[in-house]
């Protein structure tokens, strides 16, 4: 392979999506400010072509979620083999996810109190949505939340997209496959081959990713332009600062301290996955690319990543938790609701709980945010106020979510001796990954 060919392969997926992302933003802004409203712009272009292609791409990704997560976790749990090792990996992963989520909310609350995003905001300048159109999360006790993890009907849970139930049942199946070993080799092979089918299907869907990204961003900016950001710039800034702290401080320190690997090399190799997550605003869509990048570019054993990454896409929502923390401060200040130590502790506990089981699909954080608001008596109208600009922030927090999954995977894999450091430190390792995916 020549040096020129290597460079081309490095530019594959990342370059195409980046170009689509940039063109989508430019196109949307031009349409919003320079194209007169009417049938052609609104009905035919924005709510016609852009909406159908963009949402069609999202639906393709959603179509893959349940079978992809189920097969990945079954295969991951079965591949680890030793039940004791599986239990160790599972406990470490769960603790890591819960601790980083609680830390993320704490960072968000701190940043929120420093920036004070809700003070000095002119509510008359903000176009609010009708709060009655917002689905609210019903208040559920911790006991019921834990019980709801166990599916009454696994088939029904899969049909309804209840991901915690799907993960629980998949783990159960994977553990049994590991225990029975050769006696269920045929079943194990079925899940392995079906997992390969889902990975290939995802690769095929990726062929339309640039078009989907272009249409999603074009429609977003054609509808809101830049004007929606101006009245709420402090809120947006607060979320972005908290996300940056979690990404560049928390995660990088954890990588360096717990895994003893270079955060800079990690970021350089992981940027393509972050960019794709940012473009699609869905954690589940990044599962195959995340697993392949960790295995081929960073030397992480697939037995670990195929277990931790799908699990993280469902229960590890640090970016979403950060949005919820800043939104709490923003809304409390906006409506003059005082918050004390008890309320802050309640927010941390509730938001951590709410992030577990949050589906990895666009804007679902707004739904679980109502659970957090209800826990401390904040008005739901605050959620309606931030709905208009949530799409952009959703893209940013999704990139943080999937980075947290990858960091956890590397930390756990390193402690289990399942990381090839030679491959991790090799800048050319897996450099053909993106080109292969585009050509597959």
């Amino acid at each position: 392979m020549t040096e020129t060919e290597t460079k081309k392969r490095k530019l594959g997926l990342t370059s195409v999506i980046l170009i689509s992302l940039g063109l989508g933003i430019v196109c949307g802004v031009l349409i919003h400010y320079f194209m007169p409203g009417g049938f052609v712009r609104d009905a035919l272009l924005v709510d016609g072509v852009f909406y159908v292609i963009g949402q069609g791409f999202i639906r393709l990704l959603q179509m893959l979620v349940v079978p992809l997560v189920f097969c990945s976790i079954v295969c991951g749990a079965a591949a680890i083999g030793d039940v004791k090792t599986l239990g160790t990996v599972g406990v470490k992963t769960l603790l890591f996810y819960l601790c980083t989520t609680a830390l993320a909310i704490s960072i968000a609350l701190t940043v929120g109190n420093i920036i004070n995003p809700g003070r000095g905001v002119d509510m008359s300048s903000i176009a609010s949505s009708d709060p009655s159109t917002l689905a609210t999360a019903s208040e559920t006790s911790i006991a019921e939340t834990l019980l709801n993890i166990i599916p009454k009907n696994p088939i029904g849970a899969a049909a309804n997209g209840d991901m915690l139930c799907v993960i629980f049942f998949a783990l159960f199946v994977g553990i049994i496959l590991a225990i029975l070993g050769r006696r269920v080799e045929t079943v194990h092979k079925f899940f392995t081959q079906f997992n390969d089918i889902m990975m290939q299907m995802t690769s095929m869907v990726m062929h339309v990713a640039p078009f989907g990204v272009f249409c999603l961003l074009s429609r977003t900016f054609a509808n809101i332009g830049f004007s929606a950001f101006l009245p709420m710039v402090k809120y947006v800034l607060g979320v972005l600062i908290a996300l940056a702290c979690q990404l560049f401080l928390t995660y990088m320190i954890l990588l360096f301290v717990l895994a003893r690997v270079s955060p800079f090399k990690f970021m350089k190799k992981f940027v393509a996955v972050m960019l794709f997550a940012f473009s699609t605003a869905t954690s589940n869509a990044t599962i195959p690319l995340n697993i392949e990048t960790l295995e081929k570019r960073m030397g992480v054993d697939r037995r670990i990543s195929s277990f931790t990454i799908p699990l993280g896409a469902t229960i590890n929502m640090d970016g979403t938790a950060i949005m919820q923390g800043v939104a709490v401060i923003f809304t409390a200040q906006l409506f003059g609701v005082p918050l004390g130590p008890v309320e802050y502790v309640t927010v941390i506990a509730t938001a951590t709980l709410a992030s577990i089981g949050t589906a990895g699909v666009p804007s679902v954080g707004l739904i679980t945010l109502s659970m957090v608001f209800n826990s401390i008596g904040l008005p739901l109208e605050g959620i309606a106020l931030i709905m208009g600009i949530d799409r952009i922030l959703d893209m940013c927090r999704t990139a943080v979510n999937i980075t947290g999954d990858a960091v956890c995977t590397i930390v756990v894999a390193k402690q289990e001796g399942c990381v090839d450091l030679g491959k991790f430190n090799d800048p050319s390792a897996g450099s053909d990954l993106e080109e292969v995916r585009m050509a597959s």
Side-chain angles (χ1 to χ4, degrees):
M1 182 187 299
T2 66
E3 185 177 349
T4 303
E5 290 174 334
T6 301
K7 289 182 179 179
K8 286 182 178 178
R9 291 183 173 179
K10 284 184 179 179
L11 294 175
L13 180 62
T14 305
S15 297
V16 174
I17 291 181
L18 182 59
I19 292 170
S20 300
L21 188 151
L23 290 176
I25 294 175
V26 172
C27 179
V29 170
L30 290 176
I31 290 174
H32 180 82
Y33 290 106
F34 299 105
M35 190 172 181
F39 175 78
V40 174
R41 189 191 81 169
D42 300 327
L44 186 61
L45 195 59
V46 177
D47 292 327
V49 175
F50 290 163
Y51 177 76
V52 171
I53 296 178
Q55 291 303 309
F57 174 59
I58 293 296
R59 289 200 179 200
L60 283 173
L61 298 176
Q62 292 172 336
M63 173 186 73
L64 303 172
V65 171
V66 172
L68 179 62
V69 170
F70 183 81
C71 290
S72 294
I73 290 184
V74 168
C75 293
I80 291 177
D82 180 31
V83 177
K84 184 178 179 180
T85 302
L86 177 61
T88 302
V89 170
V91 169
K92 287 181 179 179
T93 301
L94 187 59
L95 288 176
F96 187 98
Y97 286 155
L98 290 176
C99 289
T100 54
T101 300
L103 183 59
I105 303 165
S106 302
I107 290 173
L109 293 174
T110 302
V111 170
N113 278 297
I114 293 174
I115 292 182
N116 295 317
R119 292 181 184 172
V121 176
D122 181 9
M123 293 183 63
S124 64
S125 65
I126 303 175
S128 64
S129 303
D130 180 4
S132 64
T133 63
L134 179 67
T136 59
S138 58
E139 294 186 61
T140 308
S141 67
I142 294 178
E144 285 299 317
T145 301
L146 294 175
L147 285 174
N148 288 339
I149 295 175
I150 305 173
K152 296 178 181 178
N153 179 358
I155 306 299
N160 295 327
D162 191 343
M163 295 309 299
L164 277 183
C165 291
V166 171
I167 287 176
F168 179 88
F169 189 68
L171 278 173
F172 217 146
V173 173
I175 291 171
I176 292 174
L177 290 178
I179 293 174
L180 296 180
R182 290 186 178 182
R183 284 184 285 171
V184 289
E185 186 175 351
T186 301
V187 178
H188 190 179
K189 186 177 294 185
F190 166 79
F191 282 113
T192 301
Q193 293 176 342
F194 195 77
N195 189 51
D196 291 339
I197 290 174
M198 295 311 304
M199 291 293 184
Q200 180 61 31
M201 187 180 295
T202 305
S203 296
M204 294 173 68
V205 170
M206 289 285 288
H207 281 82
V208 301
F211 303 102
V213 167
F214 174 82
C215 291
L216 285 170
L217 290 178
S218 292
R219 185 170 186 268
T220 295
F221 280 89
N223 282 326
I224 68 174
F226 290 118
S227 58
F229 292 95
L230 298 179
M232 302 180 67
V233 65
K234 290 175 70 177
Y235 166 74
V236 174
L237 185 63
V239 174
L240 293 180
I241 290 175
L243 289 173
C245 290
Q246 184 75 358
L247 179 62
F248 297 112
L249 292 179
T250 303
Y251 291 156
M252 300 306 105
I253 290 173
L254 289 173
L255 270 179
F256 181 76
V257 174
L258 299 181
R260 296 293 180 183
V261 296
S262 169
F264 302 102
K265 292 179 180 178
F266 167 80
M267 289 297 293
K268 186 176 181 180
K269 292 187 175 185
F270 198 71
V271 66
V273 188
M274 293 176 63
L275 182 59
F276 182 70
F278 175 82
S279 304
T280 60
T282 165
S283 300
N284 289 320
T286 67
I287 291 174
L289 184 60
N290 206 342
I291 292 174
E292 289 185 33
T293 299
L294 287 170
E295 179 188 17
K296 297 180 180 179
R297 303 209 67 184
M298 303 189 204
V300 176
D301 195 321
R302 197 181 187 95
R303 292 177 302 168
I304 302 294
S305 61
S306 62
F307 171 77
T308 58
I309 295 300
L311 184 65
T314 299
I315 72 170
N316 186 43
M317 297 289 173
D318 295 349
T320 301
I322 284 173
M323 178 275 292
Q324 293 173 344
V326 178
V328 163
I329 301 296
F330 171 73
T331 305
Q333 293 178 347
L334 204 62
F335 290 93
V337 179
L339 297 178
V342 175
E343 284 75 22
Y344 286 128
V345 172
T346 302
V347 168
I348 294 173
T350 308
T352 302
L353 184 64
S355 68
I356 299 175
T358 298
V361 295
S363 296
V364 73
L366 289 175
I367 307 303
T368 58
L369 182 57
S370 62
M371 177 179 173
V372 178
F373 276 26
N374 283 333
S375 69
I376 55 174
L378 288 180
L380 294 181
E381 286 78 4
I383 302 177
L385 292 174
I386 64 178
M387 287 179 68
I389 61 170
D390 185 68
R391 174 68 192 182
I392 305 301
L393 293 178
D394 193 19
M395 296 161 69
C396 296
R397 63 180 183 255
T398 302
V400 171
N401 287 342
I402 58 97
T403 304
D405 300 343
V407 169
C408 173
T409 299
I410 292 175
V411 169
V412 172
K414 181 65 163 51
Q415 294 179 352
E416 296 296 320
C418 296
V419 177
D420 182 349
L421 292 178
K423 184 177 289 187
F424 184 96
N425 294 318
D426 182 1
S428 62
S431 58
D432 59 344
L433 172 61
E434 295 173 16
E435 184 70 17
V436 169
R437 289 184 62 82
M438 292 297 292
S440 62

